[in-house]
Amino acid sequence: MEPVTLAPERMAAEAVRKLLLGGVVPRPIAWTSTIGPEGVPNLAPFSYFTVVSTDPPMLSLTIEARDDGTAKDTAANIVRTGEFVVNVVPEELGEAMWATSADLPSEEDEFAVAATPSAPAHRVCPSRVAQSPLAMECVLERSLPLGNALLVIGRVVCFQVRPDVLDGRGRVAHDRLRALGRVGGRYLGTSDTYPLP
Ligand SMILES: Cc1cc2nc3c(=O)[nH]c(=O)nc-3n(C[C@H](O)[C@H](O)[C@H](O)COP(=O)(O)O)c2cc1C
């Protein structure tokens, strides 16, 4: 079957968005905790998320502006404080993660909204999600406004890993991490994997 040729500049923004978010799958989810201006904990998921560099360890998140052009709380908090924690979402916390994607006022503690306990981070001020098997504490390395979004690059200054998700050789055992990924508007577990040569 021949492909359909589509030029983004001649498409509605929503149609472009559908192709990008449907085509770039599955995406991991960075459940990101930060601290709001009044010291209130903020938690929200971001799937425009990947590894940037392994030495030093760096991650990127891309946070779009709200429809009215204002910065989302996570973006504002990271730029203001220079710190955030990326928590891997285990499958059993999918609904709690989703609850934190609501556009809530910055005075609302989103750990409470998700009814998920927090635990102190070691090297940054924002808390981590206590039940996440792997949390990565980050300091802001660089931020770059691009299009309707802010690209945030964080340097990982501490990993907090639950020992049972590591095999004996320091590798992550994905059948025990059970990280959730996003596929279009749906979700996918990562326990059903297979090897290639
Ligand atoms: C699974 C999932 C992934 C998301 N990924 C992104 C993303 O990569 N970038 C983004 O701007 N918003 C993303 N969102 C929407 C934000 O989570 C949402 O706008 C949230 O209210 C932001 O919260 P904040 O204002 O506390 O930062 C995602 C939502 C869900 C449910």
Side-chain angles (χ1 to χ4, degrees):
M1 202 181 280
E2 283 298 305
V4 178
T5 304
L6 300 166
E9 71 276 12
R10 287 196 229 116
M11 294 166 68
E14 192 50 33
V16 173
R17 186 181 166 83
K18 282 180 184 158
L19 279 184
L20 277 175
L21 300 196
V24 183
V25 290
R27 296 193 304 280
I29 302 172
W31 202 9
T32 306
S33 52
T34 53
I35 298 184
E38 311 299 330
V40 178
N42 192 88
L43 191 56
F46 297 92
S47 66
Y48 309 169
F49 161 53
T50 196
V51 174
V52 171
S53 153
T54 58
D55 185 16
M58 290 196 274
L59 304 173
S60 71
L61 308 178
T62 305
I63 306 173
E64 290 181 304
R66 296 196 184 97
D67 290 341
D68 65 5
T70 59
K72 291 184 183 178
D73 292 336
T74 303
N77 294 346
I78 291 174
V79 169
R80 195 185 58 259
T81 66
E83 296 186 338
F84 58 103
V85 179
V86 169
N87 302 272
V88 169
V89 186
E91 285 174 36
E92 64 272 17
L93 291 189
E95 289 189 14
M97 174 280 294
W98 185 80
T100 65
S101 71
D103 189 12
L104 297 164
S106 60
E107 312 82 67
E108 202 147 350
D109 177 344
E110 284 174 297
F111 283 92
V113 168
T116 191
S118 63
H122 268 271
R123 300 185 72 181
V124 297
C125 294
S127 299
R128 64 185 173 88
V129 173
Q131 288 167 281
S132 168
L134 172 51
M136 293 171 271
E137 302 177 11
C138 298
V139 295
L140 178 63
E141 180 78 23
R142 206 165 297 178
S143 67
L144 180 64
L146 287 170
N148 66 341
L150 183 73
L151 172 70
V152 168
I153 297 175
R155 185 160 38 83
V156 182
V157 293
C158 190
F159 293 94
Q160 297 220 43
V161 196
R162 222 174 52 209
D164 65 290
V165 301
L166 294 179
D167 69 8
R169 296 195 288 169
R171 287 182 309 205
V172 175
H174 290 108
D175 54 335
R176 280 174 260 148
L177 187 75
R178 302 181 72 239
L180 200 63
R182 191 156 214 210
V183 180
R186 294 174 64 88
Y187 296 89
L188 182 75
T190 42
S191 40
D192 188 17
T193 63
Y194 61 90
L196 285 174

